[in-house]
Amino acid sequence: MAEVDDHIAAGDLMLARGDLDGAELCYRKAYAIDIRSANALHSIGFIQAERGNFQTAIRWAERAIERDPHFLLAYNLLGNALLALKRYEEALVALPKGPANSKRATVSLRNNMALCYAGLGRWAEAEQELRAVLGEEVTYATRFSAVGMISHE
């Protein structure tokens, strides 16, 4: 539905400007038009995660996955929320496997997996994921220090 997509796009613009309230309002308008929209469900959950409401974000992500089991962003949201709650094993299961649909998403996904492995004390796997991030995006400078910290352990 074009109207749903328009509200989500408007919400994304507000989110990029740091306007969480405005973004959420747009996402909720999209949801009101189509309560089955995985994108709207995910977007509302993302706002909840940004606000630190991780349990609520998990519920929205699960609803998005229920509506569209192929919507990778919902799995990433679920994994991120679980990671924030230090539920590392669950986060590893939730995070999508394989390459994402963009370089940026792939980098984010692999970084999140590395953080899960580090949280579990699985340093070699954390380092492997971070080195893969560097292979995807060599300008992702913050990962250089993370690889060094993991390697030092």
Side-chain angles (χ1 to χ4, degrees):
M1 298 175 110
E3 195 175 356
V4 170
D5 293 340
D6 291 344
H7 284 298
I8 292 192
D12 290 348
L13 287 173
M14 291 187 178
L15 183 62
R17 288 185 280 202
D19 181 0
L20 295 180
D21 292 335
E24 183 173 11
L25 181 63
C26 291
Y27 298 149
R28 287 191 181 273
K29 285 180 183 178
Y31 175 70
I33 293 167
D34 182 5
I35 63 170
R36 297 169 314 217
S37 168
N39 200 358
L41 291 161
H42 160 267
S43 297
I44 294 168
F46 185 86
I47 294 296
Q48 294 304 311
E50 286 293 302
R51 290 188 168 137
N53 301 325
F54 300 113
Q55 283 299 138
T56 303
I58 288 168
R59 287 192 296 275
W60 284 100
E62 288 172 338
R63 289 174 65 193
I65 291 165
E66 188 177 293
R67 296 289 184 220
D68 183 355
H70 303 288
F71 193 68
L72 292 181
L73 288 174
Y75 290 96
N76 204 32
L77 171 62
L78 178 59
N80 284 338
L82 291 165
L83 173 63
L85 294 171
K86 298 184 180 188
R87 292 164 54 184
Y88 304 119
E89 289 286 353
E90 291 173 82
L92 281 172
V93 171
L95 288 166
K97 306 302 178 260
N101 57 359
S102 71
K103 181 183 276 192
R104 182 175 175 220
T106 299
V107 166
S108 174
L109 171 62
R110 295 199 89 143
N111 183 62
N112 292 337
M113 291 179 71
L115 292 171
C116 288
Y117 288 131
L120 293 167
R122 292 164 58 181
W123 302 113
E125 291 160 291
E127 180 179 356
Q128 179 182 347
E129 290 298 332
L130 290 171
R131 288 188 183 280
V133 166
L134 288 173
E136 290 288 330
E137 184 58 66
V138 295
T139 61
Y140 214 45
T142 57
R143 298 308 166 249
F144 284 105
S145 61
V147 169
M149 290 186 321
I150 299 290
S151 296
H152 183 68
E153 297 290 327

